[in-house]
Amino acid sequence: MTAVLADRVLDRDEWTAAAAEHAARADALTADHRARASRAEKHPVEDFLFTYYSYKPAILRRWHPGPGVILDDAEERAAWRWYQRVGSGVRVDAEAFRVERASLYRGITNLLRATLHRPAQFGCFGLHEWAMAYRVDEVRHAVPLRLGREGTDAVVDAHDLRCTHFDAFRFFTPDAVPRNREPLSRESQAEREQPGCLHAGMDVYKWAVKLGPLVPGALLLEAFVLARDIRTLDMEASPYDLTAWGYSPVAIETAEGKAQYVSRQRALSERAQGLRRTVLVAVGAGDDTPGRADFFRLDPV
């Protein structure tokens, strides 16, 4: 017989303190972005997590305890979506979320599980950003190219493109698309996603947001921090010159730069794998069975 674990109960002082601490940490993480936004200023690296994913800083501030925790004397949360009353308290109604968002839940957890159990690949060297600037006059970011137009194209010409992440591949320039080792599509995303990919690791944050109250607040913030750190390497290894913004280039066109990139890529991949496993356990999806790649349509953001 399988033992049924009782819900943990947090009294009002405990859970309100946890929620306040969470909000303060979230505010600290988004302070620079919010200050820039108030001045209508743009940042080529740090704004990405708020523009590409389109998640406002307020989303990070909202604390959830995750499933299996009863918040005592929390009447103000009784009307929150996917919460339910339990005696004098409330808790996340995980089962209701899984039923009402069944396709979303299955799609995300199957993708996380499949990626978790797939071997990592570390031979891409971040060339997806270079492929997005290949043989075009206008590039995606309003900063200069570190090697200039011809130098950027030459780096792409000299390398084998091995991108496995569709949401990077879909921004490749027309001339770069056929250079990728294999064509990518939304439908094949679950078969191609692999844990060495920086963007797949960054997307753990997106999936944590989409899983809503099933993801404990601390876990959501850790996913955001990981995405921020990945974005930093992503742009340092890009063809753009960001020295004026305080970023040192990772020159992936050199052997030394490739080694630096892969070393940092491996460390970030390990962090992402730990978060995938933790998210799967937190939302009740387990972490030890590779799921079939059964997707709802995964949104691009």
Side-chain angles (χ1 to χ4, degrees):
M1 180 180 295
T2 302
V4 177
L5 298 178
D7 288 326
R8 178 187 175 198
V9 179
L10 298 181
D11 65 33
R12 185 172 181 83
D13 287 344
E14 289 177 309
W15 72 260
T16 54
E21 181 179 350
H22 172 91
R25 187 182 178 209
D27 285 345
L29 288 170
T30 64
D32 290 345
H33 171 76
R34 289 183 288 108
R36 285 192 302 271
S38 70
R39 301 189 297 267
E41 296 176 1
K42 304 294 184 182
H43 194 289
V45 179
E46 296 179 6
D47 287 348
F48 181 83
L49 298 182
F50 304 98
T51 56
Y52 177 74
Y53 290 129
S54 301
Y55 299 144
K56 304 297 185 184
I59 290 178
L60 286 171
R61 294 189 90 251
R62 176 167 283 199
W63 174 81
H64 297 289
V69 179
I70 295 175
L71 307 180
D72 195 31
D73 189 15
E75 183 62 26
E76 63 267 42
R77 292 201 174 207
W80 284 24
R81 194 170 190 187
W82 296 306
Y83 273 71
Q84 62 182 170
R85 285 188 176 84
V86 181
S88 62
V90 300
R91 68 180 173 196
V92 172
D93 191 346
E95 186 58 28
F97 183 94
R98 295 187 193 108
V99 170
E100 293 178 35
R101 291 288 185 266
S103 179
L104 177 82
Y105 178 84
R106 286 196 307 270
I108 293 174
T109 56
N110 283 344
L111 176 63
L112 290 173
R113 192 179 299 111
T115 307
L116 177 66
H117 291 278
R118 187 167 289 133
Q121 302 172 31
F122 298 104
C124 68
F125 305 123
L127 282 161
H128 55 277
E129 286 287 345
W130 298 72
M132 296 176 195
Y134 183 61
R135 294 184 179 176
V136 291
D137 294 328
E138 294 185 8
V139 293
R140 292 174 56 79
H141 301 287
V143 290
L145 294 170
R146 181 167 56 82
L147 302 180
R149 170 76 284 141
E150 292 184 1
T152 298
D153 292 346
V155 170
V156 178
D157 289 335
H159 288 81
D160 180 21
L161 298 183
R162 305 179 183 183
C163 184
T164 58
H165 186 68
F166 176 72
D167 281 319
F169 177 76
R170 68 191 178 97
F171 291 110
F172 279 25
T173 67
D175 285 342
V177 168
R179 298 183 63 87
N180 205 48
R181 176 169 287 190
E182 55 186 354
L184 304 176
S185 67
R186 181 68 67 199
E187 291 70 27
S188 67
Q189 185 172 358
E191 285 77 28
R192 297 289 185 265
E193 204 86 307
Q194 52 87 19
C197 172
L198 290 186
H199 275 257
M202 197 154 34
D203 276 354
V204 175
Y205 166 60
K206 172 172 67 173
W207 306 133
V209 171
K210 286 182 178 291
L211 289 168
L214 272 60
V215 175
L219 185 52
L220 175 63
L221 294 187
E222 287 306 308
F224 177 84
V225 170
L226 173 64
R228 180 199 62 189
D229 294 347
I230 290 174
R231 176 61 176 171
T232 298
L233 176 58
D234 197 34
M235 290 302 287
E236 288 177 341
S238 78
Y240 299 100
D241 184 354
L242 296 164
T243 53
W245 295 86
Y247 296 91
S248 299
V250 176
I252 56 89
E253 70 275 14
T254 69
E256 181 181 3
K258 284 182 173 66
Q260 181 184 357
Y261 181 87
V262 171
S263 176
R264 290 173 62 182
Q265 182 186 25
R266 286 182 179 275
L268 292 167
S269 175
E270 290 177 5
R271 287 171 59 188
Q273 286 289 73
L275 280 178
R276 286 187 185 95
R277 182 173 290 106
T278 304
V279 168
L280 286 167
V281 172
V283 305
D287 71 335
D288 59 353
T289 305
R292 186 175 75 83
D294 179 21
F295 262 175
F296 71 105
R297 178 175 171 80
L298 280 172
D299 296 333
V301 295

